[in-house]
Amino acid sequence: MLLAINSNNTNVKFALYDDDREIGSWRIGTDAKRTADEYAIWLIQLMALKGKTPADVTECLIASVVPDTLYNLRQLCRAYFGRDALVYGDASVKKGTVAKVDRPEEVGADRLVNTVAAHHFYGGPAIVVDFGTATTFDVVDADGNYCGGVIAPGINLSIEALRMAAALLPRVAVRRPEKVIGSTTVGCFESGIFWGYISLIEGLVARIRDEFGQPMKVIATGGLVPVFADATGIFDILDQDLTMKGMVIVNRLNRQA
């Protein structure tokens, strides 16, 4: 079985796969100081609830945009699962896509893995909108190449930044207000966050399509997809597990190498 580990700025996600079938997935807050032992205590108990043990893991793959987490995640795989993990981005690991941008080495692992999965499952050209710490828009051409994109502040980050900068604004949850025009301070804040984000998504997708010059399907992924999916018709495909599915494909590609 494959243990896929995706380390992002907010969470580290672990998923266990038997070929293409997900056995279980678990998230923990990203903390560069968390040791391999701490990961293991938490993860092995959760795996046990699915009837799995470390002995069931035969492969490990790590994709990370937080370099400081890599050492302890590698140690976790080596010490507790008896495997040397493949690390997406290492020179010896096949990426499954070509980054056709000015600085390919700067492209985040998650964005490349999303590109691999988007092309494999849905074809191209496509735009992948990933709701994470940042909201990213990744452009995938018909051949499955990564062609650049857009990085915007994530919605939770935007809420926190505005709240901290404005003394009278309270903490609010991300939800869909019934009206765009708010009649209270909280209502105005909620509307600006929610409908402002919808406008950002629709506006950027339209501009990307115009600039790319070809019809493009739009794929949404990330934990906040359900919050926005019903408020706009811009998304053609909803796939919250796109990144982890991409890691399965990348692992298979490297296994066959």
Side-chain angles (χ1 to χ4, degrees), residues 19-186:
D19 198 13
D20 290 332
R21 183 169 66 94
E22 184 186 279
I23 304 300
S25 65
W26 309 276
R27 295 174 186 267
I28 193 169
T30 302
D31 182 353
K33 295 180 180 179
R34 184 171 284 114
T35 67
D37 302 328
E38 290 171 315
Y39 281 121
I41 291 169
W42 170 82
L43 180 60
I44 291 171
Q45 290 186 73
L46 291 170
M47 288 174 56
L49 295 176
K50 297 289 186 179
K52 301 302 176 183
T53 71
D56 292 310
V57 175
T58 57
E59 301 170 289
C60 297
L61 175 64
I62 302 170
S64 176
V65 295
V66 187
D68 288 347
T69 64
L70 265 179
Y71 175 79
N72 284 315
L73 290 172
R74 283 182 187 265
Q75 285 296 104
L76 168 71
C77 296
R78 186 176 297 118
Y80 288 93
F81 298 98
R83 306 291 167 183
D84 285 325
L86 291 177
V87 177
Y88 194 82
D90 281 359
S92 60
V93 176
K94 291 187 176 182
K95 293 183 174 65
T97 186
V98 176
K100 292 192 169 182
V101 293
D102 293 340
R103 296 180 180 273
E105 69 280 3
E106 294 181 354
V107 183
D110 52 346
R111 304 182 77 182
L112 294 178
V113 172
N114 281 347
T115 298
V116 172
H119 183 256
H120 178 86
F121 290 107
Y122 307 114
I127 304 168
V128 180
V129 183
D130 191 346
F131 296 94
T133 307
T135 299
T136 57
F137 299 73
D138 298 321
V139 176
V140 185
D141 70 13
D143 296 320
N145 300 309
Y146 172 82
C147 299
V150 175
I151 301 175
I155 190 163
N156 286 317
L157 188 63
S158 297
I159 291 172
E160 190 62 20
L162 185 55
R163 191 189 67 81
M164 291 178 66
L168 295 180
L169 286 180
R171 188 183 300 276
V172 299
V174 181
R175 72 174 193 88
R176 178 179 179 173
E178 294 183 6
K179 298 179 179 179
V180 175
I181 302 173
S183 58
T184 65
T185 297
V186 170

